[in-house]
């Protein structure tokens, strides 16, 4: 069942080992503890009046762990819905995330500013690295089942780099706000992945069609992923916002956006089915769109009311996308989007970016008070008007779309190189080409 | 397999959309950020000497997330033990929780006191909303497999309202203490659900009996729910207690109550079986009764010793209930309690209330010191004696039982209206009437 | 299928009840709230200038909950890989953990120092009790499938006691550092369990060989355990380190160690297979070795660079152990190690101890500054040199190995007593001898 092309005996070990050794060397050369993780430096701060409770660890580590669960359990298990690709879904998710978070530490550290030539790291950089990893995993969702682990590692290598550049443009050059990453994470990851899968278009993929679906228990495993993503999205969006009201408000806005989104997802899933039955694909995915769509404006004074409207719309858009748009994208545009990331991350990400631009442009000192300094420092110090902030948010969306599509195009062609061992059309969505185990044979008629 | 009655094409979308639109309008009208989530207000506090670290977010958000996991993973997966109802268990749990938490925010906000006509929300209201949702999910356990999602949403609508009224009577009018909700959440949810399922009694339910049981993997999925509930119950009981020793003590008391409960559950599960074999139903449920039973007294100076005795008894009562009482309730009282919520939440909830009343009546300044102000403010300021506090706790239990039974009776009759689309007796405990998927057919002989 | 020997009707209930009643009596006699959980005492502290935010609960409770998840979900589900032993894996893990954490509270409390004849407990003692429990669960992994629950409870009884003694020798007598327990938890638990399984050697175990393997979905359940262990290991290693930079740094070191370990595990899993396919056993286990190996040095100034090297090596050692060493141990030394704890906890634990000794011996004031007081108080106050600290770390490893092997030998012989009801060689790795359920028969050809 396994052809020479997919034999990973040399390709995968060499790729992993080379990448990891490079990472270790680079970490040894240019990475340092930041002031809050370094024994000497932190005790200097203590000497100068700080307290241990002021250490950023206590403000952000619980959120970090929630984000971590989203990355490894959430994304990993969400993709186990395929009947014969559960090992690869969780296992490759695990592999590329373990690589990407290290590489992201370097790329983001480089762009976020060096300290005497060194990258300083702590809990905030760990969260940011996980965020960047999330973007790669979104793209993974688009190509799920059709790419070898070597292709995925190469994709991660380039995507993390481009992510860091795009993030630098948005947050540092344009001074856009995007704490939960509607643009930087979701829009970028989705359109990047869609372009990659477009370039990797497989005209004969119907040979593997019978495996591109779920079975009963695989859908339950996927629901573990869904529910964890849903529960912890408030932590995701608030993880790197400013201390105090900002983290608190962002988490709460996201919570209400998700709740409303769940309601509209169920409604439209049932409404768009002949017999009114719910579709697991919608529940697993569309119900999460409210978290994506609150990714930019969540930290702003969106109000629970505004958050609920955003979530409500996101759920509708997402279900309609799965039902009507995905088939068109596949037939007309030749975009084979395994997980429907366009519906969960793409359109809701764009919606979130637009909501963010509008909300920013409506910011007034009357509403934000002195809190303006945390949310929109440039408006607070008179550098921009609120409209200018809104315009910068809108430009950021355009930049992100451009970067994602161009980047995906480029990387898609790189991934076509035969040496990366893509599986043939007839053995997509199939664990047994990558994983050992006699039980694949014994149970192949059952699962 | 799907009759007209269970076709949800119009009923479910309309119900979801109307409810959600009403929620959005009400949130837009009367809900506001509280002082700790509002940018302007919080920065006023900072100006007046508060620090970001004082924001309640940092005291309660980790506990909130644990509670959130209990509500969505814990309850959701605990109910997946049914062989053909996993989608509905997790999926309807998700739907009614997403609705209930929004509605609870309004109902509880209304009763907890308005601020200039507005409901103020923050992390504490989010926890309280999750708590109220938990109560609805307990009732869901009693009717699991026998109700349509529309019925469940209607049930949630009324139950949340009655929950908020009962909670108001207990906590505000009677000044009872019930941080972990032995009374407000567990006793109320259980007896409400039991009365609903009594009113919805199905004489021909044996037609679906063959599906009212588990298979190997469905029991493992259910164990995910069990273990999460067990692990995070300390966070549940301590989530809204006072800062400092109260949160700390409550978590610890609950931890020991659960440990002792697990031991007695295993002992009695084995003891009551002919062949000494353990019953998964007991392990999945009875081992949790220690958390329920520590819900009222957990914040008091119950001592680890007292907590362990409470948990030990709760486990025994719960196993014996499953083994001997549930069959009697079904045969004699016509109470078809799918998950046995009477054994997990009902009796242990009553036990918890009694333990709370006794522990309160024994409170002395010698034991509580100045901590009396946090746990029993009325005793501390001389308004009540300890005995009076105990009496109020006992009255609260009676009120809760009355509210639950009367409320359940009323709501049960409402749910009997045919327009809500209850499934017929022959298709209970069956996912395929609500969920799309060809794999239901392909695998129906297997799972 | 069930012989008299494995009938637990009397043995299991009596064991559970006697142990639990003894625990309750001992807790009632000698356990008290500590200053941070006691209402009166904590309010004295508040009176004397402390704030609620200073309560250790807020520094450690999120980490505690992560550790708790590792113990109950992580270990429990990691062991569900066996096709017919999922109930017992999760269920016995649950039982012995519930017992061990109570017993550990007493044993550790006794050795960590009494307060006026009383053991004082709070969140730190809860974490320590979970740690000790983890050690027992590691030993459980070695004997998985071959021991009755009564044997496991007896093993836990003795192992916890010996753990506490060993921990006392290391931390209090030798002043070694071992925050994440490379020695106290992993090395001790692994070699103790290996010796127990050696003593319990079953020459005819091949009669159950056909059940000593996984099926597709059991491997996915096991991945839930793996991923949770992986994600929360940073919390495990940092849970009881000093406040501030120590917790922060330890979590971060562990995070990078694990990431590098994952990369090398994948590389070597593929490299050592004829066809380059990945082995789920390696991914489920070896990818975690980086957490074990960072258990001692994680709190030191190991640097991310050092952490990555440690993790990288741990992954390699662990995969090679599974591939080449385990078969030799089984054939030559008659060590039947079901989960391969020697590869996941044994060798990586020893590696971690060595890394800790080396890192300690290299400690300089220039690197640690005033932080030396937290990490190496004896070096800071001039009591030891860094080399002496390193030597003490090395001696600690030797002591731990000795204690584990001797303890395991002793306890192994105790467990051989026939009254504890070990299953016969032909019914190992089999749930149906301990668990009720007709579905075992109905589905025995499938799973």
């Amino acid at each position: 069942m396994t052809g020479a092309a997919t034999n990973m005996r040399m390709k995968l070990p060499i790729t992993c080992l080379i990448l990891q050794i490079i990472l270790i060397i680079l970490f040894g050369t240019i990475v340092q503890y930041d002031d809050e993780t370094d024994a000497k430096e932190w005790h200097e701060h203590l000497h100068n009046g700080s307290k241990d409770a002021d250490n950023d660890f206590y403000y952000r580590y619980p959120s970090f762990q929630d984000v971590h669960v989203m990355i490894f359990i959430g994304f990993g298990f969400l993709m186990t819905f395929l009947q014969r690709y559960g090992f690869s879904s969780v296992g490759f998710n695990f592999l590329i995330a373990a690589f990407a978070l290290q590489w992201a530490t370097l790329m983001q550290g480089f762009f976020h500013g060096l300290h005497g030539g060194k990258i300083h790291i702590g809990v905030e950089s760990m969260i940011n690295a996980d965020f960047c990893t999330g973007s790669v995993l979104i793209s993974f969702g688009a190509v799920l089942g059709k790419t070898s682990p070597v292709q995925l590692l190469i994709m991660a290598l380039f995507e993390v780099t481009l992510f860091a550049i795009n993030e630098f443009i948005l947050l540092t050059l344009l001074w856009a706000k995007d704490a939960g990453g509607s643009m930087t994470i979701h829009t970028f990851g989705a359109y990047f992945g869609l372009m990659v899968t477009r370039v990797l278009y497989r005209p004969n993929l119907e040979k593997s069609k019978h495996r591109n679906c779920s079975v009963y228990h695989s859908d339950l495993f996927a629901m573990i992923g869904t529910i964890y993503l849903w529960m912890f999205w408030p932590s995701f969006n608030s993880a790197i916002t400013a201390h105090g009201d900002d983290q608190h408000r962002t988490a709460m806005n996201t919570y209400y956006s998700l709740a409303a989104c769940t309601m509209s997802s169920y409604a439209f899933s049932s409404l768009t089915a002949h017999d009114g039955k719910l579709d697991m694909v919608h529940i697993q995915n569309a119900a999460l769109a409210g978290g994506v769509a609150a990714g930019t404006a969540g930290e702003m004074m969106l109000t629970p009311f505004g958050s609920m409207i955003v979530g409500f719309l996101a759920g509708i858009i997402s279900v309609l996308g799965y039902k009507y748009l995905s088939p068109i994208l596949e037939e007309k545009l030749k975009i084979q989007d395994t997980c429907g990331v366009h519906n969960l991350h793409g359109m809701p990400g764009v919606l979130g970016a637009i909501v963010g631009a509008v909300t920013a442009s409506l910011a007034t000192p009357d509403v934000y008070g002195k809190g303006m300094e945390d949310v929109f420092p440039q408006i607070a110090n008179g550098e921009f008007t609120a409209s200018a902030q809104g315009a910068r948010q809108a430009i950021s969306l355009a930049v992100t779309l451009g970067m994602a599509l161009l980047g995906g195009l480029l990387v898609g062609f790189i991934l076509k190189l035969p040496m990366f061992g893509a599986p043939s059309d007839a053995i997509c969505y199939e664990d047994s080409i990558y994983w050992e185990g006699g039980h694949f044979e014994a149970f192949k008629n059952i699962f």
Side-chain angles (χ1 to χ4, degrees), chain A:
Chain A
M1 206 164 188
T2 315
T6 57
N7 188 322
M8 294 286 123
R9 177 80 188 269
M10 283 301 134
K11 292 168 190 166
L12 183 59
I14 289 173
T15 310
C16 289
L17 295 176
I18 289 179
L19 289 175
Q20 188 59 46
I21 289 167
I22 292 172
L23 285 168
I24 290 176
I25 293 169
L26 289 173
F27 266 74
T29 320
I30 56 169
V31 173
Q32 277 183 346
Y33 291 126
D34 70 9
D35 278 12
E36 317 209 26
T37 41
D38 186 274
K40 189 177 186 177
E41 297 297 332
W42 180 249
H43 281 260
E44 289 290 327
H45 283 276
L46 292 180
H47 187 70
N48 296 325
S50 290
K51 293 178 178 175
D52 276 328
D54 300 331
N55 197 295
D56 204 29
F57 183 78
Y58 302 106
Y59 289 89
R60 303 205 187 277
Y61 188 71
S63 304
F64 162 71
Q65 276 296 3
D66 292 349
V67 171
H68 221 38
V69 172
M70 291 174 73
I71 297 298
F72 288 89
I73 288 283
F75 281 105
F77 276 88
L78 182 58
M79 294 190 277
T80 57
F81 72 96
L82 291 171
Q83 56 177 301
R84 299 266 298 167
Y85 210 63
F87 289 11
S88 302
S89 296
V90 175
F92 296 165
N93 186 85
F94 188 19
L95 174 64
I96 61 179
F99 165 66
L101 66 86
Q102 298 177 75
W103 183 236
T105 305
L106 294 172
M107 287 296 105
Q108 294 178 314
F110 183 76
F111 284 111
H112 287 183
L114 300 174
H115 305 257
K118 301 285 185 180
I119 291 168
H120 282 194
I121 59 176
V123 67
E124 193 166 337
S125 76
M126 287 160 71
I127 295 169
N128 276 317
D130 267 28
F131 277 1
C132 178
T133 299
S135 192
V136 176
L137 299 177
I138 291 166
S139 304
F140 176 34
V143 300
L144 186 73
K146 302 172 299 180
T147 41
S148 76
V150 176
Q151 284 181 299
L152 294 170
L153 286 167
I154 301 301
M155 183 178 85
L157 178 71
F158 287 103
E159 185 171 356
V160 164
T161 311
L162 292 165
F163 176 99
I165 296 171
N166 184 57
E167 190 185 39
F168 174 72
I169 297 173
L170 266 60
L171 306 188
T172 307
L173 301 186
L174 291 170
W175 293 107
K177 297 293 285 189
D178 195 23
S182 290
M183 296 182 284
T184 53
I185 301 167
H186 299 287
T187 303
F188 182 82
Y191 288 96
F192 184 96
L194 290 167
M195 187 52 98
V196 169
T197 199
R198 173 64 192 83
V199 175
L200 299 180
Y201 177 67
R202 289 167 177 271
N204 300 311
L205 192 56
E206 81 281 0
K207 286 182 188 170
S208 293
K209 206 78 188 174
H210 58 291
R211 280 189 302 266
N212 185 8
C213 56
S214 62
V215 291
Y216 194 69
H217 281 146
S218 72
D219 266 329
L220 273 180
F221 279 112
M223 278 304 282
I224 297 175
T226 296
I227 300 287
Y228 270 102
L229 288 168
W230 195 92
M231 293 187 302
F232 289 165
W233 219 295
S235 303
F236 189 95
N237 285 347
S238 66
I240 56 158
T241 56
H243 295 171
D245 61 299
D246 302 77
Q247 283 192 285
H248 201 160
R249 180 172 61 248
T250 311
M252 195 166 70
N253 285 339
T254 308
Y255 169 87
Y256 285 112
S257 178
L258 285 161
C261 178
T262 301
M263 293 288 279
S264 63
S265 297
Y266 273 80
F268 275 76
S269 183
S270 176
L271 191 65
T272 57
H274 288 298
D275 49 8
K277 289 185 186 179
L278 295 162
D279 188 333
M280 257 291 165
V281 172
H282 304 158
I283 305 313
Q284 284 162 1
N285 293 279
L288 300 169
V292 175
T296 303
E299 68 176 316
M300 304 175 190
M301 289 290 287
L302 181 58
T303 74
F305 171 66
S307 306
M308 286 160 79
I309 292 173
V310 170
F312 188 75
L313 294 176
I316 294 171
I317 289 170
S318 189
V319 171
L320 295 179
Y322 275 101
K323 191 81 187 182
Y324 303 110
L325 190 55
S326 282
I328 294 172
L329 291 181
E330 180 152 359
E331 278 166 42
K332 307 292 178 188
L333 299 184
K334 299 183 178 174
I335 295 170
Q336 294 160 326
D337 176 7
T338 310
C339 293
V341 302
H342 188 244
N343 310 305
L344 169 49
H345 301 280
M347 293 189 294
V350 171
L351 173 65
I354 294 169
V355 170
V358 172
T359 311
S361 70
L362 297 173
T364 61
D366 188 46
V367 169
Y368 288 81
K370 295 210 169 163
M372 188 73 91
E373 288 166 30
D374 283 348
V375 186
F376 300 114
Q378 283 75 26
I379 301 181
N381 66 24
E383 217 170 312
F384 304 161
T385 62
S387 321
Q389 180 76 41
R392 279 157 182 268
Q393 299 287 137
I395 293 166
S396 294
L397 174 60
V399 170
T400 300
L401 285 167
M403 289 285 293
L405 292 171
L406 276 172
L409 188 71
L410 175 74
V411 173
F413 279 105
I414 293 170
L415 297 185
K416 284 191 113 165
L417 295 175
M419 66 177 180
F420 297 137
S424 77
D425 293 350
I427 50 168
C428 287
Y429 317 117
E430 174 61 49
D431 270 341
S432 67
I433 56 175
Y434 300 119
W435 298 88
E436 291 203 344
H439 55 266
F440 285 113
E441 300 315 309
F443 293 88
K444 81 174 167 192
N445 297 318
I446 294 171
F447 297 109

